[in-house]
């Protein structure tokens, strides 16, 4: 009875948040403020995608910019060279990123802990150097999207409002995929690999196979976010989509909000993007690099005071309230048995 009541409350809360998100840009008509909302949704979408491999499966990737860049360059090249709509380009970019993730993950998952994270950084840096020196991809000069067409078919709009609804739809899709994984046997395997890898292996769970599944799904969704970025900005270069700061930002959004939780990255995006945009407005061009100082400070604060993120901190506070119930335990062996 209690479980059913909680599920009904969560469903009603989710429906209310979606309704609020749908009408919010109608009340906020200032383009700069709508752009701020779009940036939050973009950050949330990337964080939720990263959370699949970094949060549920516990494989901390600090090179997710490589998937973001693959998505951005794939849709842009298919549009500028072949004239294909970005809808097809985004899917193609996602598939290419998923295949790249399989090729990258196969050797990298032989490494553990910090060594895996370092390997993902190295792959992302190598990819940025290759694209920067590629004449076919216009190198450091970058690519401009054609402006001779517009509308939903080409994902090019004169106002911010359509971009808002496109990225809101992509975020909802990403959350739904994450939610389905969380409640499937794959989600149990991911959490078992994260919490008790040796026990999971002893029960017959293939660690490499499920790590590759987590990385490829995460890469596919991250690449779609990169395709959206290219369409919104109408210009990309290696520094804007392959930079290491993008990888750190993607990971920090999920870590700040709460890894391994469905809504953690969304909360992390609201906090981080708000601070980032506020500092940019406050310091302007004189504050170049301020966002990196803020990122570093937040990593230290989260690691020292709340490793489970803001959601974990809120959960701890709620459990100290009078009449609160104790927290549940880890994934059981029965749950992960194939």
């Amino acid at each position: 009875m209690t479980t059913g009541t909680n599920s009904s409350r969560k469903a009603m809360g989710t429906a209310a948040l979606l309704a609020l998100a749908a009408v919010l840009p109608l009340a906020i008509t200032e383009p700069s403020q709508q752009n701020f909302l779009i940036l939050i949704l973009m950050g949330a979408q990337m964080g939720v995608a990263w959370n699949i491999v970094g949060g549920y499966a516990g494989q901390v990737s600090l090179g997710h910019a490589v998937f973001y860049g693959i998505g951005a360059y794939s849709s842009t090249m298919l549009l500028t060279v072949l004239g294909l709509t970005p809808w097809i380009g985004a899917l193609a970019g996602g598939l290419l990123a998923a295949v790249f993730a399989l090729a990258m993950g196969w050797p990298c998952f032989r490494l553990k802990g910090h060594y895996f994270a370092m390997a993902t950084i190295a792959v992302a840096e190598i990819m940025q150097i290759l694209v920067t020196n590629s004449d076919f991809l216009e190198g450091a000069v970058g690519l401009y999207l054609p402006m001779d067409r517009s509308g939903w078919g080409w994902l090019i709009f004169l106002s911010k409002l359509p971009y808002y609804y496109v990225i809101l739809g992509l975020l909802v899709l990403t959350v739904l995929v994450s939610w389905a994984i969380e409640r499937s046997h794959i989600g149990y395997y991911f959490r078992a690999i994260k919490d008790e890898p040796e026990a999971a292996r002893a029960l017959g769970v293939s660690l490499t196979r499920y790590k590759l599944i987590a990385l490829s799904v995460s890469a596919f969704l991250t690449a779609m976010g990169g395709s959206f970025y290219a369409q919104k900005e109408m210009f990309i270069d290696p520094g804007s989509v392959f930079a290491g700061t993008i990888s750190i930002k993607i990971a920090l959004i999920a870590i700040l909000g709460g890894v391994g939780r469905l809504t953690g990255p969304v909360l992390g995006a609201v906090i981080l993007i708000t601070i980032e945009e506020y500092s940019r407005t406050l310091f302007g061009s004189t504050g170049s690099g301020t966002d990196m100082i803020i990122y570093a400070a937040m990593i230290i604060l989260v690691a020292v005071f709340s490793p489970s993120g803001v959601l974990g901190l809120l959960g701890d506070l709620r459990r100290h309230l009078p009449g609160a119930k104790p927290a549940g335990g880890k994934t059981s062996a029965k749950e992960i048995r194939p």
Side-chain angles (χ1 to χ4, degrees), residues 12-28:
M12 292 176 63
T14 304
L17 283 177
L18 278 176
L20 176 63
V23 300
L24 192 59
L26 301 179
I28 300 175

Side-chain angles (χ1 to χ4, degrees), residues 95-145:
L95 291 174
L96 183 60
V99 172
F100 186 87
L102 294 175
M104 165 185 160
W106 187 260
C108 289
F109 280 135
R110 297 177 185 274
L111 306 172
K112 296 182 179 178
H114 305 304
Y115 295 105
F116 171 76
M118 291 168 64
T120 59
I121 295 174
V123 171
E125 290 297 320
I126 291 171
M127 194 68 178
Q128 181 178 2
I129 293 172
L130 290 176
V131 175
T132 302
N133 291 280
S134 170
D135 293 334
F136 177 67
L137 299 175
E138 300 293 340
V141 176
L143 296 169
Y144 288 91
L145 273 71

Side-chain angles (χ1 to χ4, degrees), residues 5-20:
T5 303
N6 290 336
S7 299
S8 299
R9 287 178 179 173
K10 287 182 179 178
M12 292 176 63
T14 304
L17 283 177
L18 278 176
L20 176 63

Side-chain angles (χ1 to χ4, degrees), residues 38 58-59 94 96 103 110 112 119-121 161 171 206 217 226 232 235 264 283 286 302 305 315:
I38 292 171
Q59 307 303 306
L96 183 60
R110 297 177 185 274
K112 296 182 179 178
T120 59
I121 295 174
L161 193 59
L171 173 60
S206 173
V217 173
K232 174 180 174 292
F235 168 77
F283 297 111
T286 59
V302 169
F305 295 105

Side-chain angles (χ1 to χ4, degrees), residues 66-252:
V66 68
F67 309 127
Y68 194 71
I70 288 174
Y73 268 87
S74 297
S75 61
T76 301
M77 289 300 292
L78 289 175
L79 174 61
T80 56
V81 176
L82 301 179
L84 291 179
T85 171
W87 295 102
I88 297 176
L91 289 175
L95 291 174
L96 183 60
V99 172
F100 186 87
L102 294 175
M104 165 185 160
W106 187 260
C108 289
F109 280 135
R110 297 177 185 274
L111 306 172
K112 296 182 179 178
H114 305 304
Y115 295 105
F116 171 76
M118 291 168 64
T120 59
I121 295 174
V123 171
E125 290 297 320
I126 291 171
M127 194 68 178
Q128 181 178 2
I129 293 172
L130 290 176
V131 175
T132 302
N133 291 280
S134 170
D135 293 334
F136 177 67
L137 299 175
E138 300 293 340
V141 176
L143 296 169
Y144 288 91
L145 273 71
M147 301 183 66
D148 57 343
R149 60 198 86 177
S150 63
W152 284 94
W154 302 103
L155 284 180
I156 297 174
F157 309 103
L158 298 177
S159 70
K160 298 291 184 185
L161 193 59
Y163 288 113
Y164 176 89
Y165 287 113
V166 172
I167 188 60
L168 178 61
L170 183 56
L171 173 60
V172 171
L173 173 66
T174 307
V175 170
L176 285 175
V177 171
S178 186
W179 176 81
I181 289 175
E182 186 181 84
R183 279 155 179 76
S184 69
H185 72 282
I186 296 178
Y188 287 121
Y189 289 179
F190 286 175
R191 287 191 287 274
I193 291 171
K194 174 184 176 181
D195 294 334
E196 300 289 348
E198 296 306 322
R201 189 198 305 273
L203 290 171
V205 177
S206 173
L207 304 192
T208 302
R209 178 191 302 170
Y210 286 99
K211 287 178 183 178
L212 288 174
I213 291 174
L215 185 61
S216 57
V217 173
S218 177
F220 180 88
L221 295 169
T222 303
M224 295 193 76
S227 297
F228 174 82
Y229 171 85
Q231 291 301 127
K232 174 180 174 292
E233 298 298 329
M234 304 292 293
F235 168 77
I236 56 171
D237 65 356
S240 63
V241 293
F242 282 106
T245 53
I246 296 175
S247 297
I248 296 174
K249 183 177 175 180
I250 293 173
L252 185 56

